Amino acid sequence: MDGLYKASRVKRPLREEIQKQIKQHPHENEVSVKVASPLSLDELRSLFIQKDAPNFTYVQTPFNASGVDEWQPNFSDTRLGCGWNHTLGGQEELLFEHSSQLQQLYMLAKDRSMSDFLITRQGGSPPGGVSNAIIIQNLSKDCHIDVTKEFPKPGGGKTTVYGDWFEGGPSVPGPLMSFPELMLKSVIEVFPPSIYFNVYCMTAPSCMGFREQPVMKSNIEDLFSTAFTSYNLIKDSSSVVPKVMGGYWGAGIFMNHPRVVVIVQLMAAQMAGVNFQFHDYPAQFYPGHYKAAKEYFDAFISPQITQGVSVGEILDDFYSHVRSQGWKISKSNPVPNAT
């Protein structure tokens, strides 16, 4: 509990700021939480899923889901809430600040030792590890944090709340401002209790320790298994065709290849039958990767899905392409995407 108390103490100014509004208009919504485990590799590879391409869109903005049919990701570490225990300005920490209900769910699950809810990673052959799909539906959205708002950075230049340029961040040559202060300055709107959103939590396979080695087949299979399980659970829990937001999932500190993760998400979205919106933010981290990945997907993978080729055959063909391109586990790990 020490870590929780510390994080609670560090982040309290933002919570107190929005809590004034929340107390005036208490939320009465029912939050739904569902957990699903991935299929075995043999079961997954034997699937034949014949579906036309859904609606794919591309934006250069942060995640900002709002509405019953929109789902934004929580690219968690090995468990939901890993970002609660520190003050790096990554996408999960910011996501928790959007919703007091998400904070309460995490505290409740931890107090009751609900490991099925907290633990995402299920293990696997390194580099890899498939993950449970955790979806949280109908969360209240207390405020909107503008992760594009710029602040002066020590030594020159500018930065935003997304990242670690505040006091104590590892990349900072000198203190910028405290994390709570930076967060408060980035809140641009406090919502009434009628704004809701949905979150899906999935952990990418970790390739740390395999830097500069070729992308492995098991890595691609684990990525697809995790994404497909998550998107399929979303589709089964939605009354309309949902819009799932994604990005360079696992291509930051976990070092998955950026084009591989784009193609895997597109493949999983078409097979699950969900609309998919790719958020290329900040765009300068991986310039051109989405465009190249989408062109390959449209030419070679999407038609195979439409024709009903088995998942195993499609993954094998994709792995052959990865090998022919000489793609390797990333040597650099800029942190893409923000909530």
Side-chain angles (χ1 to χ4, degrees):
M1 294 297 292
D2 289 344
L4 291 176
Y5 173 75
K6 180 180 179 182
S8 212
R9 177 164 46 82
V10 169
K11 297 182 180 181
R12 196 178 305 280
L14 178 59
R15 290 196 215 156
E16 289 177 350
E17 189 78 11
I18 63 175
Q19 205 70 25
K20 298 173 185 175
Q21 299 291 332
I22 297 171
K23 287 179 179 177
Q24 293 176 17
H25 307 283
H27 296 283
E28 297 180 354
N29 56 307
E30 290 188 4
V31 178
S32 170
V33 179
K34 297 180 182 178
V35 181
S37 298
L39 295 173
S40 70
L41 181 57
D42 288 341
E43 291 173 318
L44 186 70
R45 289 181 58 85
S46 65
L47 291 178
F48 292 84
I49 303 174
Q50 186 173 4
K51 289 189 178 178
D52 294 330
N55 180 27
F56 292 120
T57 52
Y58 170 87
V59 294
Q60 291 185 344
T61 59
F63 301 131
N64 185 24
S66 178
V68 295
D69 62 333
E70 293 189 354
W71 292 79
Q72 75 180 63
N74 170 18
F75 294 153
S76 54
D77 196 344
T78 56
R79 61 183 175 82
L80 178 69
C82 64
W84 184 273
N85 294 321
H86 55 71
T87 54
L88 294 177
Q91 60 90 24
E92 188 182 51
E93 295 91 308
L94 300 181
L95 178 61
F96 267 71
E97 294 294 357
H98 278 290
S99 173
S100 59
Q101 286 188 334
L102 186 57
Q103 299 167 2
Q104 292 161 10
L105 275 174
Y106 171 68
M107 298 284 283
L108 180 66
K110 191 167 181 66
D111 288 345
R112 295 186 178 181
S113 298
M114 295 167 59
S115 58
D116 285 346
F117 175 52
L118 290 174
I119 304 298
T120 55
R121 189 180 304 287
Q122 293 296 297
S125 301
V130 293
S131 297
N132 286 338
I134 302 174
I135 65 171
I136 309 172
Q137 204 163 3
N138 204 36
L139 278 166
S140 65
K141 196 165 193 176
D142 302 327
C143 66
H144 178 60
I145 300 168
D146 184 3
V147 300
T148 67
K149 188 175 181 179
E150 294 184 327
F151 301 93
K153 191 167 62 176
K158 295 180 179 180
T159 189
T160 69
V161 70
Y162 180 67
D164 54 11
W165 289 107
F166 41 82
E167 181 181 8
S171 305
V172 184
L176 171 61
M177 62 179 71
S178 69
F179 184 74
E181 183 184 2
L182 198 61
M183 292 291 290
L184 282 171
K185 289 180 179 294
S186 299
V187 173
I188 58 173
E189 188 173 6
V190 176
F191 294 126
S194 57
I195 303 298
Y196 302 105
F197 72 123
N198 309 306
V199 174
Y200 69 97
C201 314
M202 63 182 192
T203 299
S206 175
C207 297
M208 297 173 69
F210 294 85
R211 184 178 298 192
E212 284 297 276
Q213 294 188 28
V215 174
M216 299 181 189
K217 188 176 182 179
S218 62
N219 183 218
I220 295 173
E221 291 169 337
D222 287 345
L223 281 163
F224 175 76
S225 176
T226 297
F228 178 72
T229 302
S230 298
Y231 299 169
N232 209 41
L233 183 58
I234 290 172
K235 177 65 183 299
D236 289 345
S237 304
S238 303
S239 58
V240 297
V241 178
K243 179 172 75 176
V244 177
M245 301 175 180
Y248 288 112
W249 165 54
I253 196 168
F254 284 174
M255 300 185 182
N256 289 277
H257 194 283
R259 294 193 191 183
V260 169
V261 300
V262 173
I263 292 167
V264 162
Q265 288 173 96
L266 294 173
M267 179 179 172
Q270 181 166 342
M271 287 190 170
V274 300
N275 295 326
F276 185 76
Q277 184 174 75
F278 188 86
H279 288 250
D280 193 355
Y281 177 83
Q284 69 269 24
F285 279 149
Y286 295 113
H289 278 300
Y290 174 81
K291 183 176 183 294
K294 182 66 162 54
E295 287 174 353
Y296 172 80
F297 174 82
D298 288 342
F300 297 102
I301 294 185
S302 183
Q304 291 186 77
I305 300 173
T306 303
Q307 294 162 17
V309 177
S310 73
V311 170
E313 290 180 80
I314 297 174
L315 289 174
D316 289 346
D317 286 348
F318 179 37
Y319 178 60
S320 296
H321 174 72
V322 170
R323 289 185 62 189
S324 71
Q325 298 298 306
W327 289 352
K328 296 182 179 181
I329 292 167
S330 302
K331 64 178 180 180
S332 59
N333 57 350
V335 182
N337 280 307
T339 300

